[in-house]
Amino acid sequence: MSIFLYNTLGRKKEVFAPLVPGKVGMYTCGLTVYYRGSIGNFRAFIVADVLRRMFEANQYSVTHVVNITDVGHLVGDGDIGEDKIEMSARKSGESAWDIAAKYTALYFEDAKKFNVLTPTISPKATDHIAEQIAMIEAIEKNGYAYTIADGVYFDTSKLASYGQLSGQSLDEKEGGSRVAVGDKKHATDFALWKFSPSPSADSIAQRRQMEWESLWGIGFPGWHIECSAMSEKYLGVPFDVHTGGIDHIAVHHENEIAQTLAARNCLEANVWMHNEFLQIDGGKMSKSLGNTYTVADLEEHKIHPLSFRLFLLGAHYRTPQNFTWEAVGASHIALGSIRNAVRDLPKPSEVDTESMKQFIDRINDDLDTPGALALFYGVLNDVLMERSTKAATLLAMDEVLGLALADVLARPVLVPGAVETLLRNREHARAQKDWKASDALRADIIALGFDVNDTPSGQRILEVW
Ligand code: AMP
Ligand code: ZN
């Protein structure tokens, strides 16, 4: 079946054509590991994960590279300001290397909680300094770089196609840029290599902890070069699909494309996909507003991370999505009911091919997750479908959705002894028509993390989560 993807480069939906039949090379810009990834960041990673699962459901063998940005991402919009990792180190008193290691480990833990598949490769920028230096050399050799006091810069005016991703001309970009030009030739020029400031320099308060020797001087790579260099190393150029959030279009991805073109005279990737942002209570997520929530906040609010995943699936990745505790709470209840329904199903048999075909048709249409979810619910609530077929079909759909339903299928809730006793007492109370006692016992059961439904065949224990 054909796959249609919206390509930011060209701004239209296109039929996906792999470079090598049966294979897909995918690169996702990963977390800048100076803090714990927010649920906004995880929208980007979960969208990329669904994309990968979609390809796999279409029998593609996927190489998914998700990098770790552990150096070079500066606080400011341009090439000024402190490195985010070094800033976090300065504030916390830990070393820059420890900060990066700590938040990299947390990222992998959090990703697992959201059932994000482990990337095929997760290269760190600091492990690929030589590759980045080699690429800057090629850019310089081809005449696209110049050196000024604080670093080596890419001359965007040399590249006629600069601006092709965002669809802005150089003049438009320069006019709209909030970035100070300084010694740069053009506002859109960007750092390939930045020099470490001398201890007396006042631009960065202290000496850098992460720095390397280079032909140009001691320093560190710019943010964009890591993605051009590491994607080329692991996927070659061009590769199939590059993903990230929409904030990356105008600068980071534009600059990645420019670097690879300048160094290799080749388009970095054929398809560029960008997710819209997750907003909080209708506005931007920001540290100053105290609303940059993480998976820890979800868990504190008794929201399972997979409930957040279900919440995300309810919106198309190219629409801004508004996070509220009410909305994610509703997804949490919905996932609880899905899990309870799936627990009751027998062992899976054959997939219902017609339902699955419709589902793949939706997900292949530029990841129409709301449409795919509607079909999933259709099967879940289908009273006529043979139950082992239903089990097989829901599991096959969940390979794409990633709600970890295989963990609960045909696995009755394990009820602790204390809850069993309460259930027995409640059954007795109900036989006596003592509704007050029955309600009190139900409250005790809920307090222990379970719930009970009264069905024609008696009490039914439910998992609450
Ligand atoms: P960063 O660590 O800043 O490089 O961001 C990692 C990824 O998260 C990038 O793809 C960003 O575009 C994405 N991202 C950041 N904030 C949000 C948000 N609120 N909603 C969706 N994606 C986001
Ligand atoms: Zn990147």
Side-chain angles (χ1 to χ4, degrees), residues 231-276:
S231 64
E232 179 186 36
K233 173 161 182 178
Y234 295 106
L235 299 170
V237 283
F239 60 89
D240 293 297
V241 188
H242 195 310
T243 80
I246 43 152
D247 58 323
H248 283 176
I249 298 173
V251 179
H252 183 52
H253 290 173
E254 196 84 88
N255 294 348
E256 279 189 52
I257 290 176
Q259 292 167 149
T260 303
L261 268 176
R264 314 290 183 222
N265 195 21
C266 177
L267 185 63
E268 183 184 348
N270 284 346
V271 184
W272 293 77
M273 292 176 70
H274 295 96
N275 62 278
E276 275 282 352

Side-chain angles (χ1 to χ4, degrees), residues 85-392:
I85 312 278
E86 301 251 347
M87 175 195 71
S88 180
R90 180 172 55 74
K91 288 189 176 163
S92 69
E94 292 164 78
S95 84
W97 295 96
D98 287 348
I99 288 287
K102 175 166 103 182
Y103 291 116
T104 301
L106 258 183
Y107 162 74
F108 284 113
E109 272 176 36
D110 291 354
K112 197 165 267 171
K113 289 185 176 173
F114 289 118
N115 203 21
V116 169
L117 297 171
T118 308
T120 322
I121 304 153
S122 4
K124 292 180 190 166
T126 53
D127 286 339
H128 295 79
I129 300 298
E131 289 85 348
Q132 295 174 73
I133 288 177
M135 196 163 198
I136 300 169
E137 280 183 281
I139 293 169
E140 189 179 45
K141 189 168 138 265
N142 293 344
Y144 292 90
Y146 62 91
T147 302
I148 51 176
D150 73 335
V152 182
Y153 281 79
F154 188 102
D155 187 341
T156 50
S157 70
K158 292 268 168 73
L159 195 70
S161 63
Y162 189 77
Q164 60 176 319
L165 186 64
S166 54
Q168 291 172 304
S169 70
L170 198 64
D171 286 348
E172 280 170 334
K173 270 190 183 280
E174 283 199 276
S177 175
R178 287 173 287 126
V179 174
V181 180
D183 291 338
K184 293 195 290 187
K185 293 187 188 167
H186 318 93
T188 43
D189 293 355
F190 56 91
L192 295 164
W193 186 262
K194 287 215 64 166
F195 300 135
S196 288
S198 65
S200 60
D202 54 10
S203 57
I204 297 178
Q206 45 151 223
R207 201 173 167 76
R208 285 185 61 89
Q209 298 180 36
M210 292 176 161
E211 56 182 21
W212 295 266
E213 302 267 356
S214 82
L215 318 160
W216 309 282
I218 293 176
F220 59 99
W223 173 32
H224 318 300
I225 196 73
E226 65 170 279
C227 289
S228 289
M230 296 193 293
S231 64
E232 179 186 36
K233 173 161 182 178
Y234 295 106
L235 299 170
V237 283
F239 60 89
D240 293 297
V241 188
H242 195 310
T243 80
I246 43 152
D247 58 323
H248 283 176
I249 298 173
V251 179
H252 183 52
H253 290 173
E254 196 84 88
N255 294 348
E256 279 189 52
I257 290 176
Q259 292 167 149
T260 303
L261 268 176
R264 314 290 183 222
N265 195 21
C266 177
L267 185 63
E268 183 184 348
N270 284 346
V271 184
W272 293 77
M273 292 176 70
H274 295 96
N275 62 278
E276 275 282 352
F277 262 37
L278 182 74
Q279 301 177 336
I280 307 282
D281 295 326
K284 210 172 140 63
M285 215 183 298
S286 87
K287 278 198 172 166
S288 56
L289 295 172
N291 63 4
T292 39
Y293 301 127
T294 68
V295 71
D297 297 303
L298 293 177
E299 288 176 333
E300 211 165 278
H301 280 77
K302 303 262 179 283
I303 301 292
H304 194 284
L306 291 177
S307 307
F308 175 70
R309 186 172 173 117
L310 177 64
F311 165 77
L312 289 183
L313 294 171
H316 190 261
Y317 77 93
R318 282 195 292 116
T319 54
Q321 190 174 12
N322 189 30
F323 176 94
T324 62
W325 288 107
E326 290 73 30
V328 81
S331 297
H332 184 72
I333 290 169
L335 188 54
S337 335
I338 293 172
R339 285 170 60 102
N340 282 321
V342 168
R343 277 188 187 285
D344 285 348
L345 291 173
K347 286 231 164 62
S349 56
E350 297 284 304
V351 171
D352 180 63
T353 44
E354 182 49 34
S355 304
M356 199 57 204
K357 194 175 148 293
Q358 289 176 11
F359 178 90
I360 294 292
D361 183 61
R362 281 302 81 226
I363 206 78
N364 281 9
D365 183 7
D366 193 31
L367 303 186
D368 176 7
T369 53
L373 257 189
L375 291 162
F376 172 91
Y377 279 119
V379 170
L380 188 73
N381 299 325
D382 186 340
V383 288
L384 299 176
M385 189 181 283
E386 208 277 308
R387 286 168 53 77
S388 61
T389 308
K390 181 184 279 203

Side-chain angles (χ1 to χ4, degrees), residues 25 27 59 78 95 160 189 256 374 436 441:
Y27 186 93
Q59 270 74 54
S95 84
D189 293 355
E256 279 189 52
K436 216 174 139 201
L441 286 158

